[in-house]
Amino acid sequence: MKKIFSNSSKAALITVISATVLIVAFIACFFLLSGNSSSAPTVALPDSSYEHASSDNSSNDSSEQASSQLEVTPLSVTYPKENNITVTESTISVMGSCDTKTPLYINGKEVKMSSSGEFSEDIELTQGKNTIKITQGEITVTKTVVYRYVIIKDYSPSSAKSFTSGSNLVVSATARKGSTITAELNGKKVTLTQNNEDEGEFVSFYGMFSLPKDNLKELKIGKVKFTGKYGKISESFYSGEITIKKTSLVSPSDPNATPSGDGYINVGSGYIAEIIQFQAETFDGKFTASNSDWSRPTNNYLPKGTVDYCSTGLVYDGGISYVTLRCGRRVYNERTDSLTGEKSNVVKRYVGKLPDHNELKVSEFKTEEKHTYLVLDTLFKAPFKVSLSPQSYVQPSYQDYRVEDITFSYVDITFCYATVFDGEIEIPKNHPIFKRAELIKKQSEYTLRLHLKEKGAFYGWDAYYNDKGQLCFSFLNPAYTKAANNEYGRDLSSVTILIDAGHGGKDAGALGINPKKLNEAKANLTLAFLIKAELEKMGAKVVMTRTNDTSLSADDRHKIIKNLAPDLCISVHHDANNSSKLNGFGSFYFNAFSKKAAELVYNRTISTGLYNQTSNNRNRLDWHYFFLARNTVCPVVLTENGYMTNSGDFAAISNEAKMKKKAKAIVMGVVDYFVKICPEAEFEPPKPEPPQSSFETATSSEQTETSSIEQTSSEQTETSSIEQTSSEQIETSSIEQTSSNEE
């Protein structure tokens, strides 16, 4: 072989090559390290829970070990968070994230993971100590779970409590399904009723005690003893000491202050309850232990300033207390702020006297572009009841207010204790909602019946007292939209939509599989912004309840929707469950007039195929009593956009492209809704009608017929607009007023 280099030049060349190799290696390591630190989160591995398999290759180069570790995403178990935990249910979900390139095993069984490395698996437990080993490669995480078999999981009241004299105390327990649960207090024993609608191993049980009344001094009546029996096993628990406060002194009560019939409750006339918060939700006045806190679409909110006689005793259920009103409804006595945990009064109670009847007079009925307004003068701020009738629900006795068919054709507003109703309401032929008004006189009240132009064509209402003390009702008119040359084929420039990103700030919502990567509050905000962007492409005015990671209470959200009065509200949430198997999408409504929007959003979303139809799929269009959905100002659709606790759903929630696809589907459902309520042929919005300023009140049967509002005796002829008749005149076939109790 021919000699090319001399020994000296060869040495120099070797030196240059070696230096070059070192520089290249240094640069490669630098970029490898910096790239890894920006793309993968740093996860602390607790020494007590991780086991590293020993290696026999002690001679391996340390740089090769470092390189190998950098290519692997560390195994992280997010639930259970603790290494040692005690539970009372027979199944536990193990969740976390890991490297996608290496098989993952839980107790020797390979577990599926998502494309981004999240995993979730339900593990069956045996009584006593259970060891769960999660292994990937050379790393093993060990969790020790003690399954303690119990009958009663929790109970209320548990601590010492003081209650108002003459109150009703609801006692409850969360206990094993099929158990017999009893409660004993002050020499009385009740068997608690099981809530058969609850799912899972543990369900709710309820019972009620009537507490002593008219006690002139404080009474201590002992502790509540809860006993649970399941098969041959029995266990008992005790609450703290129960104290009855001494009776409050009130003025003499008028036994005739409460009218008979119409669901009224005789609470006497010594105490007055006045609503001091911006509104108060109403509940049935007559109740059982199991349904004392049921929110129902057949009840309504009452505005600030409303007054009525009330009971001296309260209804206590858990940490909540209620006041019973003479009108047959209950309202919260106080509520706990969902953010601060502080309690504030919903009503103030005081001794006083109210007028023995109410009088109403129409001050104004007018139609504007967005709303129709009814303004009434009142003698006092008495309660009223609003109902959409005739409307049936699936099973109200089990708090199942699903609507199979929308059947309501009128809106009834019943004014409690009203014996006089003066004035006229003239509804123009081109009115967007109502076709005529009717006044029905009953024994102790008047009902204003507003007949709809079309069955189910109603979009929301609100009520408040203005600065003149007048009772004002606002009814949402349908939004008029038109076709457009855009991706969705619609111009929504006339529409205002509120997007509510659930939770936020202090309230992270569901933590899910990988809370360091994404919690529910952040996922909600991401999807809300995507929905907003799509709606704004069509010119819609979009307002969001929050635009960053801030805290909002439930009442804050209610105030936003009341002040904005939008055409539609979409609330964005993500679901979670103790079982990691459940997955799917949910579209929920509370009021019957919200169902159509919820259904159209559901149909569009399911058609995307984003949510797998498996045996554990929970895709559903359903009724629910979610707090924001109870608002009546406009249709509210609350969406649950996948389960944070399911690995497949979580992977989609973490995927920007799939989230955008979800947003587009929801927006298509919104477009379908506005097309549905106002088809192309009805684009021209109604022109505002001039205020009605004339009033006519008939005082005898000899008065002549009027063209607007008449008060007639049974001998008078039927009128074409609004009629006031006695309850005897109305045939049962034409009046279908069904109370929630009758349903």
Side-chain angles (χ1 to χ4, degrees):
M1 182 180 289
K2 187 176 180 180
K3 195 172 185 179
I4 300 175
F5 296 106
S6 66
N7 290 335
S8 59
S9 61
K10 182 177 180 181
L13 181 61
I14 291 172
T15 302
V16 170
I17 293 172
S18 299
T20 304
V21 170
L22 286 173
I23 292 170
V24 171
F26 176 81
I27 293 172
C29 288
F30 174 81
F31 280 106
L32 184 60
L33 286 167
S34 61
N36 184 73
S37 64
S38 63
S39 62
T42 302
V43 181
L45 307 182
D47 294 337
S48 60
S49 61
Y50 283 81
E51 300 172 7
H52 293 266
S54 62
S55 174
D56 294 331
N57 302 321
S58 57
S59 62
N60 285 354
D61 186 78
S62 60
S63 63
E64 291 180 5
Q65 292 181 8
S67 177
S68 175
Q69 290 175 2
L70 288 171
E71 293 173 358
V72 177
T73 301
L75 172 63
S76 173
V77 179
T78 56
Y79 190 83
K81 187 176 181 180
E82 301 84 359
N83 296 327
N84 296 279
I85 185 174
T86 299
V87 299
T88 56
E89 298 194 17
S90 62
T91 303
I92 190 169
S93 293
V94 177
M95 298 183 289
S97 59
C98 63
D99 174 44
T100 58
K101 298 177 182 178
T102 306
L104 176 74
Y105 299 90
I106 297 181
N107 287 348
K109 176 186 175 183
E110 186 171 356
V111 174
K112 291 182 179 180
M113 63 188 82
S114 69
S115 58
S116 53
E118 283 80 30
F119 64 88
S120 56
E121 186 77 5
D122 289 352
I123 306 297
E124 294 292 330
L125 304 174
T126 57
Q127 289 188 43
K129 182 178 178 180
N130 296 260
T131 300
I132 302 174
K133 289 182 177 289
I134 307 100
T135 303
Q136 186 173 50
E138 297 181 349
I139 299 177
T140 295
V141 180
T142 301
K143 301 288 182 178
T144 300
V145 181
V146 176
Y147 170 35
R148 185 169 64 89
Y149 186 91
V150 299
I151 299 172
I152 298 177
K153 192 175 183 180
D154 56 59
Y155 52 92
S156 177
S158 57
S159 58
K161 297 287 183 182
S162 295
F163 300 110
T164 303
S165 174
S167 296
N168 290 311
L169 172 62
V170 175
V171 294
S172 62
T174 304
R176 196 166 292 278
K177 199 169 191 175
S179 303
T180 299
I181 310 296
T182 60
E184 298 174 61
L185 176 64
N186 198 29
K188 297 180 181 178
K189 182 177 181 179
V190 297
T191 299
L192 278 59
T193 302
Q194 176 178 300
N195 183 354
N196 293 319
E197 296 302 299
D198 286 354
E199 298 179 351
E201 292 180 65
F202 291 87
V203 296
S204 302
F205 291 78
Y206 299 94
M208 186 163 57
F209 290 101
S210 296
L211 301 179
K213 61 181 180 178
D214 299 329
N215 50 300
L216 299 179
K217 62 180 182 179
E218 185 177 274
L219 294 178
K220 293 188 180 296
I221 60 173
K223 301 178 180 181
V224 182
K225 179 183 179 182
F226 293 91
T227 301
K229 294 182 179 180
Y230 189 86
K232 297 180 179 180
I233 304 174
S234 176
E235 61 185 18
S236 295
F237 300 92
Y238 290 85
S239 72
E241 184 74 29
I242 303 300
T243 302
I244 310 301
K245 301 173 185 177
K246 68 177 182 179
T247 303
S248 300
L249 297 176
V250 299
S251 59
S253 176
D254 179 4
N256 299 317
T258 302
S260 60
D262 296 317
Y264 294 137
I265 297 175
N266 191 348
V267 296
S269 61
Y271 252 16
I272 294 174
E274 177 182 345
I275 296 172
I276 58 175
Q277 288 197 6
F278 70 102
Q279 64 182 14
E281 184 179 5
T282 61
F283 303 85
D284 283 1
K286 296 178 180 178
F287 64 96
T288 65
S290 60
N291 64 21
S292 66
D293 65 340
W294 284 7
S295 295
R296 308 171 192 260
T298 49
N299 294 333
N300 58 273
Y301 284 92
L302 291 173
K304 181 179 181 179
T306 303
V307 292
D308 199 3
Y309 286 129
C310 68
S311 59
T312 55
L314 301 174
V315 176
Y316 294 94
D317 185 356
I320 303 172
S321 61
Y322 303 84
V323 176
T324 302
L325 304 180
R326 173 179 53 159
C327 67
R329 297 285 190 261
R330 285 175 298 121
V331 296
Y332 290 121
N333 177 52
E334 59 183 12
R335 289 186 63 241
T336 302
D337 187 279
S338 59
L339 288 178
T340 65
E342 296 178 357
K343 289 187 176 182
S344 60
N345 287 332
V346 176
V347 302
K348 65 176 180 181
R349 298 191 300 155
Y350 50 86
V351 175
K353 187 172 184 179
L354 297 172
D356 61 2
H357 71 288
N358 199 17
E359 298 179 7
L360 298 108
K361 185 176 182 179
V362 178
S363 173
E364 188 175 41
F365 181 82
K366 65 178 181 179
T367 304
E368 296 183 352
E369 182 179 355
K370 283 283 189 180
H371 290 87
T372 295
Y373 296 95
L374 170 63
V375 182
L376 300 168
D377 295 316
T378 66
L379 180 63
F380 79 100
K381 297 176 181 179
F384 56 83
K385 302 170 184 177
V386 179
S387 65
L388 305 179
S389 299
Q391 180 61 57
S392 61
Y393 302 93
V394 171
Q395 205 166 12
S397 59
Y398 288 96
Q399 201 185 15
D400 184 355
Y401 284 89
R402 282 176 295 155
V403 174
E404 291 185 337
D405 296 304
I406 296 176
T407 57
F408 66 90
S409 58
Y410 51 81
V411 181
D412 274 354
I413 308 175
T414 298
F415 300 96
C416 302
Y417 325 125
T419 59
V420 176
F421 195 110
D422 290 334
E424 67 175 25
I425 298 177
E426 187 172 319
I427 299 178
K429 291 182 179 179
N430 68 336
H431 194 274
I433 315 171
F434 306 122
K435 63 180 179 182
R436 66 186 179 95
E438 177 184 5
L439 198 62
I440 302 169
K441 186 181 187 306
K442 298 182 180 180
Q443 182 178 355
S444 306
E445 59 195 19
Y446 273 100
T447 295
L448 174 62
R449 178 165 293 174
L450 299 170
H451 293 267
L452 302 174
K453 294 186 77 172
E454 294 181 17
K455 182 174 65 176
F458 186 71
Y459 314 101
W461 68 277
D462 194 14
Y464 55 92
Y465 286 96
N466 63 17
D467 53 9
K468 296 180 181 179
Q470 295 172 304
L471 177 57
C472 305
F473 288 92
S474 65
F475 305 98
L476 181 63
N477 297 333
Y480 288 79
T481 63
K482 57 186 177 182
N485 185 22
N486 57 41
E487 179 182 352
Y488 296 96
R490 210 67 181 172
D491 179 356
L492 297 186
S493 57
S494 63
V495 170
T496 300
I497 298 174
L498 179 66
I499 305 296
D500 170 52
H503 306 285
K506 297 178 182 178
D507 178 12
L511 297 180
I513 291 176
N514 193 346
K516 289 184 178 180
K517 179 179 180 180
L518 188 66
N519 61 33
E520 185 195 352
K522 292 179 182 178
N524 294 343
L525 190 59
T526 297
L527 185 54
F529 270 123
L530 292 171
I531 294 170
K532 178 178 184 289
E534 295 302 311
L535 289 169
E536 288 177 338
K537 289 179 181 178
M538 294 174 280
K541 176 184 176 182
V542 182
V543 178
M544 294 179 64
T545 54
R546 65 181 180 94
T547 55
N548 50 36
D549 193 24
T550 53
S551 300
L552 286 173
S553 70
D555 279 345
D556 289 336
R557 298 173 197 270
H558 262 260
K559 289 175 183 177
I560 290 171
I561 195 171
K562 283 176 72 71
N563 292 334
L564 181 64
D567 297 291
L568 180 67
C569 174
I570 303 292
S571 187
V572 180
H573 285 259
H574 289 81
D575 221 329
N577 195 273
N578 289 336
S579 171
S580 64
K581 295 178 180 178
L582 297 185
N583 64 86
F585 172 80
S587 183
F588 298 89
Y589 61 92
F590 180 79
N591 294 295
F593 61 81
S594 295
K595 190 204 171 177
K596 180 53 65 179
E599 183 176 23
L600 293 169
V601 166
Y602 176 82
N603 291 343
R604 283 290 188 174
T605 300
I606 296 305
S607 68
T608 63
L610 284 166
Y611 299 93
N612 297 327
Q613 294 285 356
T614 66
S615 59
N616 296 304
N617 185 269
R618 294 290 291 271
N619 289 341
R620 54 184 178 148
L621 167 67
D622 209 349
W623 178 90
H624 202 279
Y625 50 84
F626 292 118
F627 192 75
L628 188 65
R630 299 178 218 166
N631 210 301
T632 62
V633 172
C634 70
V636 179
V637 179
L638 189 143
T639 60
E640 295 279 7
N641 298 274
Y643 281 73
M644 300 289 293
T645 46
N646 177 267
S647 58
D649 277 3
F650 188 85
I653 295 166
S654 307
N655 185 291
E656 184 179 353
K658 290 186 177 180
M659 288 287 271
K660 191 169 184 178
K661 197 172 181 181
K662 292 180 182 183
K664 285 179 174 290
I666 290 172
V667 170
M668 280 302 301
V670 170
V671 171
D672 291 344
Y673 169 72
F674 286 112
V675 171
K676 184 75 174 179
I677 66 172
C678 185
E680 191 77 22
E682 299 181 16
F683 279 154
E684 287 300 320
K687 295 179 180 180
E689 293 292 323
Q692 304 300 316
S693 57
S694 59
F695 309 101
E696 298 190 19
T697 304
T699 56
S700 68
S701 59
E702 289 76 24
Q703 280 193 290
T704 58
E705 214 178 323
T706 69
S707 61
S708 55
I709 177 170
E710 303 185 357
Q711 291 183 320
T712 62
S713 67
S714 57
E715 291 79 18
Q716 283 188 290
T717 59
E718 190 176 308
T719 65
S720 60
S721 54
I722 177 167
E723 307 167 3
Q724 180 167 324
T725 60
S726 67
S727 57
E728 290 79 14
Q729 287 179 276
I730 309 298
E731 295 181 9
T732 56
S733 61
S734 62
I735 295 184
E736 300 182 40
Q737 290 179 308
T738 307
S739 70
S740 59
N741 291 334
E742 290 170 337
E743 292 172 341

